[in-house]
């Protein structure tokens, strides 16, 4: 009986625990910790973030993203130019080199959701389709953190080195 109780308790904890490393797998790619932030009413844009680990021997590239809640979705980077933070569209996508980790995070590479049709609500995950040049497409659910959050709750762990 004790074994059964421990097994059931472990199973319940496993089911209730948030997903972290290896959230999604697409070929040799691991798509970890997809998230975005809640937006206030009337907001027309939001950023999406994710960690992509390329465990393969072949380079790939995130070429696009789609989300039903946004009229337009683009891949962007933010960088400092002459002391001014500038956002720039990356029409050729985001390289995901073989054997490396690429972090899409606030203040750097990110998915840009534009022409939002309604506010993104905190706590309710949103579906987003990521398309890679070689690995293909995968739908992920982005968790939704509080407005302005630096990361979603419980997502302090990151794989390897960031490549921005």
């Amino acid at each position: 009986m004790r074994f059964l109780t421990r097994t059931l308790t472990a199973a319940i904890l496993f089911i209730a625990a948030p997903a972290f490393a290896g959230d999604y797998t697409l070929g040799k790619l691991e798509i970890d910790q997809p998230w975005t932030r809640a937006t206030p009413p009337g907001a027309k844009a939001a950023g999406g973030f994710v960690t992509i680990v390329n465990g393969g021997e072949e380079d790939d590239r995130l070429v696009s993203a789609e989300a039903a809640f946004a009229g337009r979705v683009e891949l962007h980077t933010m960088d400092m130019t002459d002391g001014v933070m500038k956002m720039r569209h990356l029409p050729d996508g985001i390289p995901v080199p073989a054997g490396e980790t690429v972090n899409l995070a606030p203040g750097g590479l990110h998915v840009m959701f534009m022409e939002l049709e309604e506010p993104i609500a905190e706590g309710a995950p949103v579906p987003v389709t990521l398309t890679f040049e070689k690995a293909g497409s995968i739908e992920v659910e982005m968790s939704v953190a509080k407005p302005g959050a630096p990361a979603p709750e419980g997502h302090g762990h990151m794989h390897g080195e960031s490549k921005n």
Side-chain angles (χ1 to χ4, degrees), residues 4-151:
L4 181 58
T5 303
R6 284 186 192 161
T7 303
L8 286 173
T9 301
I12 290 167
L13 289 174
F14 177 75
I15 291 168
F20 293 111
D23 291 343
Y24 299 89
T25 301
L26 179 63
K28 298 289 184 180
L29 301 178
E30 278 187 30
I31 294 92
D32 299 337
Q33 306 171 9
W35 69 285
T36 187
R37 294 180 179 124
T39 58
K44 294 297 178 193
F49 315 105
V50 63
T51 298
I52 305 165
V53 180
N54 186 345
E57 296 179 9
E58 185 176 32
D59 293 347
D60 208 333
R61 177 178 297 274
L62 177 61
V63 292
S64 67
E66 295 177 29
F69 60 87
R72 197 168 83 225
V73 182
E74 295 179 352
L75 303 174
H76 281 197
T77 188
M78 288 181 73
D79 51 28
M80 200 63 97
T81 305
D82 297 325
V84 177
M85 185 67 83
K86 293 189 178 183
M87 188 166 22
R88 188 169 42 94
H89 175 220
L90 300 172
D92 294 331
I94 298 171
V96 184
E100 296 195 27
T101 298
V102 177
N103 285 324
L104 279 64
L109 297 168
H110 60 279
V111 176
M112 191 74 202
F113 304 114
M114 297 175 287
E115 301 168 13
L116 296 179
E117 296 177 9
E118 58 187 42
I120 298 172
E122 183 181 344
V126 293
V128 176
T129 300
L130 302 175
T131 301
F132 295 86
E133 185 175 64
K134 295 177 182 159
S137 296
I138 186 169
E139 183 174 292
V140 301
E141 282 197 343
M142 289 193 165
S143 62
V144 181
K146 295 177 183 177

